[in-house]
Amino acid sequence: MMGGLAFLMALVGSLTSCETEQKEETAETKRPNIIFIMSDDHAYQAISAYGSTLINTPNIDRIANEGMLFENAFVSNSICAPSRAVILTGKHSHINGLVDNAVRFDSTQVTYPKILRENGYQTAMIGKWHLKTQPTGFDYWKVLPGQGHYYNPEFRTPEGIVLDSGYVTDLITDFAINWLEEAKDKDKPFMLMYQHKAPHREWLPTEENFRNYTQKEFPEPESLFDDYEGRGRAAKEAEMRISTHMGLTNDSKIHPDIVEKLGYKEFINWYASAYHGNLDRMSPEERAAWEEVYGPINEAFEKAGLHGDELTKWKYQRYMQDYLASIESVDENVGRLLDYLEENGLAENTIIIYTSDQGFYLGEHGWFDKRFMYEESFRTPLMIKWPGVITAGSKNTDLVQNLDFAETMLDAAGVDIPEDMQGKSMLPLLKGEKVEWRDALYYHYYEYPGIHAVKRHNGVRTDRYKLIHFYYDIDEWELYDLQEDPKEMNNLYGDPAYAEVQENMHQKLKELMKEYKDEVVIPQL
């Protein structure tokens, strides 16, 4: 028999060994926290990590510099609510049911926050929701009603509507940090959806930023005066041109009385009421600061009496000044959140994702807004930081899509991905592994007839080519060689030199429609 002392020593050694193994196992299997940051209508052309010459975004760039930047990230339906539904469900619009902004999201569906919550994560949704129905699958939520407001906005909570004083981008960040500080269960991993209203139209910046940006002048895109030569009706008939469809009142911030006095005709009659609705939310102090800067802009505009190309050029500058100034606040607040994580020991085990609900036109093709499958709208910024897993400063060129976000977060959390989700986990890409990936993306836009009059269309994109089919009240095709024509100015559909490419792209489109169970029915009008 073992002596008493020897037995005791062996027992202690055994317990120590078990404890060490348990600690090592815990360290290896510790699940990461996840923060999903999404802005609204943030063009990749307005992020310095993507080479923007329009703005410097040092804090958003931190995520790319310390993680991975995706150079070929796209959406499946370039419009606000449908994009959000795709992200939540990991399913295309025709499957999750939210095909356009008029549809209410079916909140009984399985979503990645629900799955994470069921698997031990504490979940929160703060900021812009924009899905009409109440958020589900969250331990905590505080969201903007509809589009929300920039100044002194209301927020929806489980207890009802509350009014908060301040600037929306600052407030959303305050609420996110407060939740991390006070409400989070320290014994559970967390998933926070931190989603901004900015830079959604009508672009009302903070005082500091509008004082700065209204003094700046920005380079015009080459296609600001695009005549859409060689393309079909869809591009020509879209109602999103800066020249004729952007408002002088709500968008350019010119008082409706001046617009009426000078005889300008606004494209939509609600523009003037939107101007008043936005500015009337300001406190007397905020309004005084606004008028101090925008008053002289109004006076100069009234004296100039601009028309034609000169008016378009002026509207473009006003657009960029307010749009980019709104992004400046997003960048500042992303920096606040990143600093909080670092200062509180949360950065090392937290995945941070930055993206937008889609791309946006910054004057390319003469447009603002999104919706089309053309690159500026279809492509979205995406950068992901995960210390110890993602190599800092790495870049990825694979074709990824917002359809993949849910699967990626579930996979990173060690949770099984539902078989009916349609995207792919990007986890192997994040780890830098060489894997067989998709060679094409599928896109489908539905909101026509509707605001901006962008025709319904679907299409396929590979690493080099893009095929688009516009349908419903037309039946037109467009083919682009993105290597030779990255700005998509020359429709090659029907060009004999591209006959084989065209046939292959048609076949690829059919394959993807079958894979994703989508069927386009062209009504007989």
Side-chain angles (χ1 to χ4, degrees):
M1 290 182 63
M2 183 181 297
L5 180 61
F7 175 78
L8 180 61
M9 292 178 65
L11 179 61
V12 170
S14 175
L15 290 173
T16 301
S17 176
C18 290
E19 183 180 359
T20 301
E21 290 177 6
Q22 187 175 17
K23 285 182 179 179
E24 290 175 353
E25 181 182 0
T26 302
E28 287 181 5
T29 60
K30 187 176 183 181
R31 292 182 294 174
N33 304 311
I34 301 169
I35 298 182
F36 180 79
I37 309 173
M38 186 162 71
S39 49
D40 193 306
D41 293 342
H42 190 175
Y44 66 87
Q45 312 95 288
I47 297 178
S48 45
Y50 282 97
S52 176
T53 58
L54 296 170
I55 188 173
N56 184 34
T57 52
N59 294 298
I60 295 172
D61 291 1
R62 284 166 63 183
I63 302 172
N65 295 338
E66 298 171 12
M68 178 176 287
L69 181 141
F70 287 82
E71 297 181 334
N72 285 309
F74 298 86
V75 297
S76 57
N77 184 357
S78 182
I79 187 170
C80 298
S83 176
R84 294 163 193 273
V86 168
I87 290 168
L88 284 167
T89 63
K91 300 174 184 178
H92 276 282
S93 299
H94 64 280
I95 299 294
N96 68 50
L98 207 157
V99 295
D100 59 37
N101 276 342
V103 178
R104 292 172 62 85
F105 180 62
D106 176 6
S107 59
T108 66
Q109 293 185 78
V110 174
T111 63
Y112 82 84
K114 289 182 181 179
I115 297 173
L116 288 176
R117 190 183 186 198
E118 291 166 359
N119 283 272
Y121 272 74
Q122 188 168 15
T123 58
M125 167 64 219
I126 299 171
K128 187 166 183 179
W129 178 244
H130 199 236
L131 291 172
K132 292 186 170 66
T133 50
Q134 179 171 302
T136 56
F138 300 99
D139 296 295
Y140 175 88
W141 57 269
K142 187 170 186 177
V143 300
L144 294 166
Q147 294 287 0
H149 296 282
Y150 276 101
Y151 278 81
N152 305 312
E154 296 90 0
F155 282 86
R156 292 170 58 202
T157 72
E159 291 75 35
I161 298 287
V162 295
L163 175 64
D164 287 278
S165 297
Y167 186 71
V168 68
T169 311
D170 298 334
L171 290 170
I172 290 169
T173 307
D174 291 343
F175 302 150
I177 291 175
N178 287 344
W179 180 76
L180 291 170
E181 183 70 27
E182 300 173 6
K184 185 179 64 62
D185 185 339
K186 302 298 189 291
D187 295 325
K188 290 183 178 181
F190 63 82
M191 190 286 296
L192 167 64
M193 297 185 75
Y194 161 62
Q195 302 191 164
H196 287 293
K197 169 185 172 60
H200 193 279
R201 190 184 187 192
E202 283 97 10
W203 320 298
L204 275 71
T206 62
E207 178 183 346
E208 178 184 359
N209 289 323
F210 66 63
R211 287 186 183 278
N212 181 18
Y213 276 79
T214 51
Q215 304 303 311
K216 295 186 177 185
E217 185 172 343
F218 299 93
E220 298 170 2
E222 294 177 11
S223 57
L224 181 61
F225 295 99
D226 193 347
D227 61 5
Y228 317 112
E229 181 67 28
R231 279 151 287 171
R233 287 174 52 192
K236 295 173 183 176
E237 295 180 13
E239 296 174 349
M240 43 199 261
R241 290 191 296 276
I242 292 172
S243 60
T244 53
H245 304 118
M246 178 174 276
L248 283 169
T249 51
N250 62 322
D251 293 320
S252 299
K253 317 304 189 302
I254 300 300
H255 196 286
D257 290 349
I258 295 175
V259 173
E260 183 178 2
K261 177 182 176 182
L262 296 178
Y264 294 108
K265 182 175 176 56
E266 290 281 66
F267 178 64
I268 299 178
N269 58 14
W270 56 257
Y271 283 1
S273 62
Y275 169 92
H276 288 298
N278 288 327
L279 270 59
D280 288 350
R281 300 190 64 83
M282 296 179 178
S283 69
E285 295 77 16
E286 291 166 340
R287 185 64 179 266
W290 181 275
E291 294 297 346
E292 185 180 340
V293 172
Y294 288 86
I297 291 174
N298 274 250
E299 293 172 6
F301 178 80
E302 185 174 1
K303 291 178 181 178
L306 301 172
H307 292 280
D309 289 353
E310 290 306 310
L311 178 59
T312 301
K313 288 171 174 283
W314 182 89
K315 290 170 75 175
Y316 169 75
Q317 293 299 328
R318 286 293 309 113
Y319 170 31
M320 286 298 94
Q321 289 166 358
D322 289 348
Y323 176 86
L324 296 170
S326 300
I327 290 173
E328 183 79 16
S329 292
V330 174
D331 187 70
E332 293 164 355
N333 279 280
V334 167
R336 277 213 294 147
L337 184 70
L338 295 178
D339 289 346
Y340 173 84
L341 296 174
E342 291 176 359
E343 292 164 3
N344 289 272
L346 293 171
E348 288 304 307
N349 192 43
T350 300
I351 300 171
I352 300 175
I353 300 169
Y354 185 88
T355 190
S356 174
D357 52 352
Q358 63 264 318
F360 213 66
Y361 294 105
L362 304 185
E364 300 90 356
H365 305 292
W367 290 330
F368 65 103
D369 207 69
K370 58 262 185 178
R371 300 165 195 265
F372 275 113
M373 195 184 171
Y374 303 130
E375 290 292 282
E376 295 85 1
S377 165
F378 181 32
R379 185 178 170 192
T380 192
L382 176 63
M383 49 200 76
I384 304 177
K385 173 179 178 287
W386 189 359
V389 176
I390 297 175
T391 301
S394 56
K395 294 185 178 181
N396 180 278
T397 59
D398 291 298
L399 296 171
V400 300
Q401 205 163 21
N402 61 351
L403 187 71
D404 304 322
F405 294 174
E407 294 84 344
T408 302
M409 284 183 268
L410 293 175
D411 200 9
V415 176
D416 290 339
I417 301 168
E419 292 184 2
D420 61 349
M421 283 189 173
Q422 295 181 304
K424 295 165 66 79
S425 169
M426 297 185 293
L427 192 57
L429 306 184
L430 299 180
K431 293 180 176 179
E433 298 174 358
K434 297 295 182 182
V435 294
E436 184 177 344
W437 195 251
R438 65 167 66 92
D439 61 0
L441 296 170
Y442 181 64
Y443 180 88
H444 199 160
Y445 174 81
Y446 301 84
E447 193 170 290
Y448 181 88
I451 189 170
H452 297 301
V454 173
K455 307 288 189 184
R456 298 186 191 190
H457 59 289
N458 70 338
V460 58
R461 186 200 193 278
T462 65
D463 61 346
R464 177 169 177 175
Y465 301 106
K466 182 185 295 182
L467 179 69
I468 309 174
H469 179 212
F470 294 99
Y471 70 95
Y472 187 74
D473 62 339
I474 60 174
D475 184 10
E476 295 183 352
W477 295 85
E478 295 183 6
L479 175 68
Y480 295 97
D481 183 339
L482 299 170
Q483 177 178 292
E484 302 300 320
D485 178 28
K487 299 184 186 301
E488 297 168 294
M489 302 293 287
N490 303 301
N491 177 18
L492 299 169
Y493 197 84
D495 185 333
Y498 283 82
E500 184 177 352
V501 171
Q502 183 173 308
E503 181 179 352
N504 291 339
M505 291 297 284
H506 269 286
Q507 182 59 35
K508 179 60 67 176
L509 179 60
K510 291 178 182 177
E511 292 172 359
L512 290 182
M513 290 176 69
K514 181 178 180 180
E515 176 183 344
Y516 294 125
K517 301 179 176 63
D518 194 16
E519 180 179 355
V520 178
V521 177
I522 302 175
Q524 299 299 314
L525 300 181

